[in-house]
């Protein structure tokens, strides 16, 4: 049977639901709508692999922090990075083809336009999170892979970052860039060995309680702990809560990183006492936030901005002590949503450069690669640290001139192994933070005191057409509608430490307004007044 016949036959089992439009990059959809989407993403994965000469492509079925009834799917490129941006439109077009025949025509057009040879081998690996809709969506994916004679491996339940890790390991095996053993066990062994090395001579300050959002991260963290030194051996006590993966309906319910970030409180199930370190993962464990309750019972969030500044300060300090400050440029990448106080702390206290990009991990990740060591975290806790190939070579070849330089160099090398450089990884980032706090002999209160966030407010404004709003300057200013930005500028100037911007949502007819100022009441007032300007401009 030809590719054409097998694709048509397989596609007939996965018809596109009428009246629905899909866009690649959306956080998630009702899982009942996704059967055809996952099938078609499977077709794209085979095309991507063949276009790249048979390199392995990853497919992850997850909707991250969304409720359990939602699901989603995304592709992972050969080095473990997100799908190349220029291919997102191909995914969207395939997903929205109105019939089996229209789908085949889109597939053929892509094959011809991209000069893809059907005889080139295609290789795909895939995994899913714990959602009940995962297995039937995997079946749709497999139908696409088999229809296109694609070699595939099902890794069953994994965190999203674990799949990214595996893709990179498979594609770099036997090369100078070999990343690690291409197995789940290899992932644990790599992180465990690096953590033990980085913690040598240090002691954790108490335990850390980790809320796993009742998602796939719970079981994977329990497995990772087996590869870590215990507290008596220089490790850290990790108390795991909300890991009921056998109850998919509990996923992200009253728990998880998004709950903590948006509700500004601990999960109701949290048992952590005052000043005790706590952290929350999201549903697929690619983001993490920390928090604690102060001695006066005030909830204190340590979000992605705080993680980024902690990592940047530590790596910057190690570089200086190792005698590498002139060879390693450490930089921080943020979006407009980063609190102004964090930006000021990095530039004025740490004396490190900051680059601002549009919202979206793909923009942050790309900008981070421009530094020798690039640190990026979104405020929601998704981020990582990227060491360039030249930085890794410097770490490998540098000749330390003193015991202090040697120790700092060893720690930098350990961090480059501990950090999952393919994508934000909650488990890797958890260990990174624990290492840094142990080296600094800090608890969460000392970490929190590095700077104080400016009071801020985020407001959602519904508009008839979000496409009327065109942002420039890393989404910090509006180019259209004309005159709106000038009104915002005039308003912001009236508030002490005022800052505000508006950006259109990527998925709905709404504009999000962010505002910060020196006091809570001023931040709230500024946000509401800018929202009013946006509302009028959108008419």
């Amino acid at each position: 049977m030809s590719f054409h016949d097998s694709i048509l036959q397989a596609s007939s089992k996965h018809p596109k639901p009428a009246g629905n439009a899909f866009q690649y990059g959306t956080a998630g959809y009702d899982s009942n709508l996704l059967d055809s989407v996952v099938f078609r993403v499977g077709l794209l994965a085979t095309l991507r692999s063949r276009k790249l000469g048979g390199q392995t492509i990853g497919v992850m079925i997850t909707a991250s922090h969304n409720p359990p009834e939602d699901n989603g799917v995304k592709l992972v490129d050969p080095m473990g990075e997100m799908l190349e941006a220029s291919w997102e439109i191909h995914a969207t077009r395939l997903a929205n083809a109105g019939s089996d025949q229209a789908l085949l025509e889109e597939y053929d057009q892509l094959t011809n336009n991209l000069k893809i040879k059907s005889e080139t081998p295609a290789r795909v690996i895939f995994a899913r999170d714990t959602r009940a809709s995962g297995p039937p969506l995997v079946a749709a994916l497999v139908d696409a892979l088999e229809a296109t004679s694609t070699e595939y491996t099902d890794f069953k339940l994994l965190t999203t970052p674990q799949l990214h890790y595996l893709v990179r390991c498979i594609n770099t095996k036997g090369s100078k860039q070999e990343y690690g053993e291409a197995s789940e066990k290899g992932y644990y062994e790599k992180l465990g060995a690096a953590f033990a090395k980085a913690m040598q001579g240090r002691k954790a300050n108490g335990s850390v309680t980790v809320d796993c959002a009742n998602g796939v991260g719970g079981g994977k963290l329990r497995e990772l702990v087996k590869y870590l030194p215990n507290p008596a051996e220089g490790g850290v006590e990790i108390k795991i809560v909300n890991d009921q993966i056998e109850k998919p309906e509990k996923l992200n319910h009253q728990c998880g990183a998004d709950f903590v970030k948006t509700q500004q409180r601990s999960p109701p199930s949290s048992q952590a006492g005052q000043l005790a370190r706590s952290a929350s993962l999201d549903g697929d464990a690619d983001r993490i936030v920390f928090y604690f309750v102060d001695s006066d019972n005030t909830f204190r969030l340590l979000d992605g901005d705080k993680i980024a500044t902690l990592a940047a300060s530590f790596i910057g300090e190690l570089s200086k002590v190792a005698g590498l400050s002139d060879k390693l440029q450490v930089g921080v990448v943020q979006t407009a949503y980063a609190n102004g106080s964090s930006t000021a702390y990095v530039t004025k206290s740490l004396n490190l450069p900051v680059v601002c990009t549009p919202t979206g991990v793909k923009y942050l990740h790309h900008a981070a690669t421009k530094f020798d060591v690039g640190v990026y975290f979104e405020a929601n806790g998704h981020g990582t640290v990227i060491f360039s190939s030249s930085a890794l070579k410097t770490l490998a070849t540098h000749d330390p001139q003193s015991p202090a330089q040697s120790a700092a160099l060893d720690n930098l090398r350990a961090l480059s192994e501990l950090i999952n450089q393919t994508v934000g990884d909650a488990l890797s980032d958890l260990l990174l933070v624990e290492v840094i706090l142990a080296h600094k002999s800090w608890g969460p209160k000392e970490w929190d005191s590095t700077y104080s966030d400016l009071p801020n407010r985020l407001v959602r404004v519904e508009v008839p057409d979000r496409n009327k709003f065109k942002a420039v300057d890393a989404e910090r200013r509006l180019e259209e509608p004309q005159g709106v930005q000038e009104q915002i500028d005039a308003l912001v100037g009236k508030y002490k430490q005022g800052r505000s911007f508006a950006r259109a949502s990527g998925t709905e007819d709404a504009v999000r307004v962010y505002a910060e100022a020196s006091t809570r009441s001023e931040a709230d007032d500024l946000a509401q007044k800018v929202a009013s300007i946006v509302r009028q401009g959108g008419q």
Side-chain angles (χ1 to χ4, degrees):
M1 186 183 297
S2 69
F3 270 7
H4 279 192
D5 292 338
S6 57
I7 289 173
L8 280 174
Q9 184 177 343
S11 179
S12 67
K13 296 160 53 181
H14 308 284
K16 178 184 178 294
N20 289 279
F22 303 99
Q23 182 174 341
Y24 191 86
T26 305
Y29 291 96
D30 182 331
S31 60
N32 293 317
L33 302 175
L34 286 177
D35 183 72
S36 67
V37 172
V38 173
F39 174 80
R40 293 160 183 221
V41 167
L43 296 181
L44 188 71
T46 68
L47 289 174
R48 183 71 177 153
S49 178
R50 287 193 165 100
K51 174 63 178 176
L52 298 177
Q55 292 189 80
T56 297
I57 298 297
V59 180
M60 185 70 199
I61 296 176
T62 179
S64 189
H65 58 279
N66 281 36
E69 58 271 18
D70 287 359
N71 218 326
V73 60
K74 69 175 186 177
L75 296 180
V76 181
D77 260 359
M79 287 300 285
E81 72 273 51
M82 300 174 77
L83 175 68
E84 183 183 304
S86 65
W87 275 62
E88 292 183 9
I89 186 64
H90 305 327
T92 299
R93 290 185 62 166
L94 285 176
N96 290 306
S99 66
D100 299 336
Q101 187 60 43
L103 172 63
L104 185 60
E105 290 170 5
E106 285 284 356
Y107 182 89
D108 283 344
Q109 187 175 346
L110 273 178
T111 301
N112 294 328
N113 291 348
L114 297 172
K115 297 180 172 58
I116 296 171
K117 298 177 180 179
S118 58
E119 64 270 19
T120 301
R123 300 178 179 92
V124 171
I125 67 171
F126 56 89
R128 60 182 175 87
D129 69 11
T130 56
R131 295 165 198 270
S133 58
L137 292 178
V138 163
L141 174 63
V142 168
D143 280 350
L145 301 181
E146 293 188 342
T148 51
S149 300
T150 299
E151 299 173 29
Y152 65 86
T153 304
D154 180 359
F155 279 90
K156 311 295 183 184
L157 292 175
L158 288 179
T159 69
T160 294
Q162 286 178 325
L163 185 73
H164 283 252
Y165 164 87
L166 289 171
V167 171
R168 184 163 181 170
C169 288
I170 290 169
N171 287 307
T172 58
K173 184 175 177 61
S175 73
K176 291 181 179 179
Q177 293 82 34
E178 188 161 344
Y179 195 61
E181 181 189 319
S183 68
E184 187 178 343
K185 181 183 178 186
Y187 170 89
Y188 299 130
E189 288 177 337
K190 182 176 182 177
L191 266 60
F195 180 73
K197 184 177 180 181
M199 286 290 285
Q200 281 184 359
R202 304 292 171 171
K203 185 179 180 181
N205 184 8
S207 63
V208 58
T209 299
V210 183
D211 152 36
C212 296
N214 292 317
V216 67
K220 303 310 181 184
L221 179 55
R222 285 197 182 279
E223 191 63 26
L224 174 60
V225 167
K226 298 175 184 177
Y227 293 80
L228 303 178
N230 62 46
E233 298 170 333
V236 60
E237 182 184 4
I238 298 176
K239 299 178 179 178
I240 299 173
V241 298
N242 295 327
D243 63 335
Q244 300 181 63
I245 61 172
E246 73 282 0
K247 297 180 179 178
E249 70 277 6
K250 289 186 173 291
L251 176 67
N252 294 321
H253 179 66
Q254 296 280 290
C255 60
D258 196 56
F259 173 87
V260 171
K261 173 76 173 165
T262 58
Q263 298 296 315
Q264 293 285 307
R265 62 188 176 101
S266 303
S269 57
S270 175
Q271 304 297 317
Q274 288 182 337
L275 299 178
R277 283 194 314 288
S278 294
S280 286
L281 321 180
D282 69 338
D284 64 338
D286 69 351
R287 67 172 73 168
I288 186 170
V289 295
F290 290 78
Y291 48 94
F292 69 102
V293 175
D294 211 339
S295 52
D296 61 358
N297 282 325
T298 301
F299 174 83
R300 304 292 299 172
L301 178 68
L302 299 156
D303 62 5
D305 291 345
K306 291 279 188 179
I307 299 172
T309 54
L310 182 73
S313 67
F314 186 57
I315 293 171
E317 291 164 8
L318 288 177
S319 297
K320 289 178 183 177
V321 176
L324 292 171
S325 53
D326 61 333
K327 296 182 179 179
L328 294 180
Q329 185 188 36
V330 181
V332 177
V333 185
Q334 298 181 326
T335 70
Y337 287 108
N339 195 276
S341 288
S342 73
T343 308
Y345 175 72
V346 174
T347 56
K348 296 176 181 177
S349 296
L350 302 182
N351 294 314
L352 295 175
V354 172
V355 171
C356 188
T357 73
T359 302
V361 171
K362 60 187 176 185
Y363 300 112
L364 290 155
H365 193 95
H366 179 72
T369 63
K370 304 301 182 184
F371 293 104
D372 295 314
V373 184
V375 181
Y376 76 84
F377 278 85
E378 292 184 296
N380 64 20
H382 187 232
T384 190
V385 181
I386 301 175
F387 290 76
S388 70
S389 57
S390 63
L392 293 173
K393 184 177 180 180
T394 297
L395 294 181
T397 59
H398 182 64
D399 184 20
Q401 302 300 305
S402 69
Q405 285 194 1
S406 181
L409 184 62
D410 284 344
N411 282 319
L412 283 169
R413 289 168 176 166
L415 290 185
S416 71
E417 293 290 313
L418 178 63
I419 296 164
N420 186 343
Q421 296 180 52
T422 65
V423 72
D425 183 341
L427 304 187
S428 168
D429 293 337
L430 168 68
L431 299 183
L432 171 65
V433 167
E434 289 301 314
V435 164
I436 299 173
L437 294 180
H439 275 258
K440 290 179 174 288
S441 299
W442 280 2
K445 190 170 184 178
E446 290 81 9
W447 177 14
D448 189 40
S449 68
T450 51
Y451 67 86
S452 297
D453 278 335
L454 286 168
N456 56 87
R457 178 66 66 199
L458 185 63
V459 177
R460 178 179 173 275
V461 182
E462 291 188 6
V463 294
D465 180 9
R466 68 181 185 272
N467 295 312
K468 288 182 65 174
F469 292 83
K470 307 292 184 185
V472 294
D473 188 22
E475 301 178 327
R476 290 176 289 190
R477 301 183 63 80
L478 283 175
E479 187 175 55
E480 296 179 10
Q482 291 187 3
V484 169
Q485 186 61 52
E486 287 74 12
Q487 295 179 61
I488 294 174
D489 290 342
L491 189 61
V492 167
K494 300 176 182 179
Y495 294 81
K496 184 179 179 181
Q497 294 181 282
R499 182 172 75 95
S500 183
F501 67 91
R503 62 175 289 271
S505 166
T507 57
E508 57 181 341
D509 280 324
V511 173
R512 289 178 172 81
V513 171
Y514 175 88
E516 63 186 31
S518 60
T519 66
R520 166 58 61 198
S521 60
E522 284 194 319
D524 290 347
D525 188 55
L526 177 57
Q528 293 302 329
K529 287 181 177 176
V530 172
S532 179
I533 292 172
V534 167
R535 202 171 285 113
Q536 293 171 5
Q539 298 302 316

